[in-house]
Amino acid sequence: MKCPYCGKDIHLVTGKEIYPHRNDLHMKNFWLCKPCNAYTGTHDKNPKRGFNGTEPLGTLANAKLRKLRKDTHAVFDLIWQGKYFTRTNAYEWLAKQMNIHSNKCHIAMFDEAQCNKAINICETFLNNPKGTNVCKLTKLVNLFRKK
């Protein structure tokens, strides 16, 4: 695989290389581009789900995008942790708001523009959680759950 930033090869490394101070991450795998320090984690090995431990969790991210993704999670997580939606329904809601398919709505796959859009959408919601569109969506989600 190639790095989207510099075009060089990326390599599978352990968390010990990326997070030497985090013993809890030393045994996890990461895809790393050493020249630009862009990386992403991998799914844990799980043969039942077809994961061998090398499948990326998302796209490679440089320091700027990693910070933006953390910021996106911080505001998005307030929505589902605040019990407005379940986590799954919050992702479905965000996908609809961003006009993307729900299987593409994963913050680890977002680019900078998508992160900024998601932050704006989530902040707007948090400033007015009883807005008309959200109430309509909540009713629809509950309707589908009953079927």
Side-chain angles (χ1 to χ4, degrees), residues 21-35:
H21 58 288
R22 295 274 313 268
N23 291 340
D24 59 316
L25 298 177
H26 285 190
M27 298 306 292
K28 294 201 175 275
N29 289 327
F30 292 81
W31 286 103
L32 170 68
C33 175
K34 291 182 183 183

Side-chain angles (χ1 to χ4, degrees), residues 40-44 55-59 106 108-109:
T40 188
T42 64
H43 288 277
D44 289 334
E55 295 84 5
L57 285 169
T59 61
H106 191 318
M109 294 191 293

Side-chain angles (χ1 to χ4, degrees), residues 3-140:
C3 175
Y5 298 101
C6 69
K8 300 212 169 154
D9 289 334
I10 62 173
H11 302 280
L12 192 64
V13 300
T14 66
K16 189 171 186 176
E17 185 166 342
I18 294 173
Y19 296 106
H21 58 288
R22 295 274 313 268
N23 291 340
D24 59 316
L25 298 177
H26 285 190
M27 298 306 292
K28 294 201 175 275
N29 289 327
F30 292 81
W31 286 103
L32 170 68
C33 175
K34 291 182 183 183
C36 43
N37 197 35
Y39 58 86
T40 188
T42 64
H43 288 277
D44 289 334
K45 187 175 183 179
N46 185 335
K48 287 183 180 180
R49 295 186 67 202
F51 295 138
N52 66 17
T54 65
E55 295 84 5
L57 285 169
T59 61
L60 255 61
N62 62 12
K64 181 179 179 185
L65 182 54
R66 286 193 303 272
K67 182 185 181 320
L68 198 51
R69 285 177 177 172
K70 285 178 190 175
D71 293 346
T72 306
H73 258 296
V75 69
F76 172 75
D77 290 352
L78 291 173
I79 292 172
W80 66 269
Q81 290 173 352
K83 307 296 183 205
Y84 296 105
F85 297 115
T86 64
R87 185 171 185 258
T88 299
N89 288 341
Y91 271 107
E92 290 170 356
W93 167 81
L94 183 59
K96 182 175 174 116
Q97 299 301 309
M98 293 182 67
N99 200 29
I100 60 176
H101 196 277
S102 60
N103 68 1
K104 299 286 185 197
C105 191
H106 191 318
I107 294 169
M109 294 191 293
F110 285 2
D111 60 22
E112 288 181 29
Q114 289 172 309
C115 285
N116 285 320
K117 184 175 182 178
I119 288 170
N120 185 32
I121 289 166
C122 292
E123 286 177 344
T124 299
F125 170 81
L126 290 167
N127 288 328
N128 185 16
K130 297 198 185 305
T132 307
N133 292 335
V134 173
C135 289
K136 286 180 184 175
L137 182 61
T138 302
K139 287 176 185 173
L140 284 173

